[in-house]
Amino acid sequence: MAVQASSGTMSRSQTQRRKRIVQTAAALAVRGGVEAMQMRSVAERAGVALGTLYRYFPSKMDLVVAVVTEEMDLLEGGIVRRPPTADTAAGRAVDVLLRATRGLMREPELADALVRSLIMAEVKIELDVRISDLVWRVATGNLEGAAGEDGTAVDRDSTDYVLVGSLTSVWIFELVEILKGRRDVDEVEHRLHTAAERLLASF
């Protein structure tokens, strides 16, 4: 079985090649959805051999997750540069989730890829955990790092973190409803505020 190249152990040229592959896949997804992200098409457009592509991404879902992860990198970078300013934890948490929603809805095919990657079992992913971590950091006013107010690592078994995770689960469900055409962003915003105010009332 091929082993996906770790970004932490790649040379600069390998890192640039991997980035080019991901950007090519993202461009195909935007134009034609996940179905357009055929491995052979991605390899041809990225200018790499098909075997090389599979060394970086052993499966199509690995590539989908890489594309969505890059979107998450952009989201997190934007939030660090321009943090939410709401007075309450609930308000800050909803700000993060709404930015994610609006960003994804600009490219609904990638939003669909996000949902698929969250529910598929073929690849190991922790995007929902990453989103929960980001919301937790913003809600607790600890945006600069993944540690608690006392300097300790995030305790994902703590009551507060479980409540944040529950809010993230609500957001994922609402995202599915948008993609199905059952809700618009304004409706989702209202529902997220309602859920956040109850779930994060103790923050």
Side-chain angles (χ1 to χ4, degrees), residues 49-190:
L50 186 58
T52 299
L53 174 61
Y54 277 109
R55 281 198 296 275
Y56 284 92
F57 302 102
S59 74
K60 182 176 177 179
M61 279 309 302
D62 285 303
L63 186 54
V64 167
V65 171
V67 169
V68 176
T69 298
E70 184 162 282
E71 293 298 308
M72 285 299 303
D73 289 342
L74 294 174
L75 169 67
E76 188 164 355
I79 288 171
V80 169
R81 288 191 301 273
R82 188 169 58 88
T85 58
D87 294 332
T88 65
R92 294 191 295 273
V94 171
D95 186 313
V96 172
L97 296 174
L98 286 177
R99 288 196 214 179
T101 301
R102 293 189 177 106
L104 288 165
M105 287 307 107
R106 284 195 292 270
E107 297 177 350
E109 294 294 348
L110 288 181
D112 182 69
L114 169 61
V115 173
R116 291 182 186 220
S117 68
L118 287 169
I119 63 177
M120 293 294 286
E122 285 87 342
V123 292
K124 178 176 175 57
I125 56 171
E126 295 183 347
L127 291 175
D128 50 343
V129 174
R130 182 172 175 184
I131 294 168
S132 293
D133 282 355
L134 179 58
V135 173
W136 184 88
R137 287 161 53 198
V138 169
T140 58
N142 187 43
L143 186 55
E144 294 305 318
E149 293 177 353
D150 60 357
T152 60
V154 174
D155 179 4
R156 296 194 177 102
D157 293 322
S158 69
T159 299
D160 283 350
Y161 190 90
V162 169
L163 291 170
V164 167
S166 296
L167 180 61
T168 301
S169 296
V170 171
W171 172 71
I172 292 169
F173 174 80
E174 295 298 333
L175 191 61
V176 171
E177 293 297 282
I178 292 176
L179 291 169
K180 290 181 177 179
R182 294 176 179 172
R183 298 209 220 292
D184 59 30
V185 174
D186 289 339
E187 290 174 312
V188 167
E189 179 175 4
H190 173 71

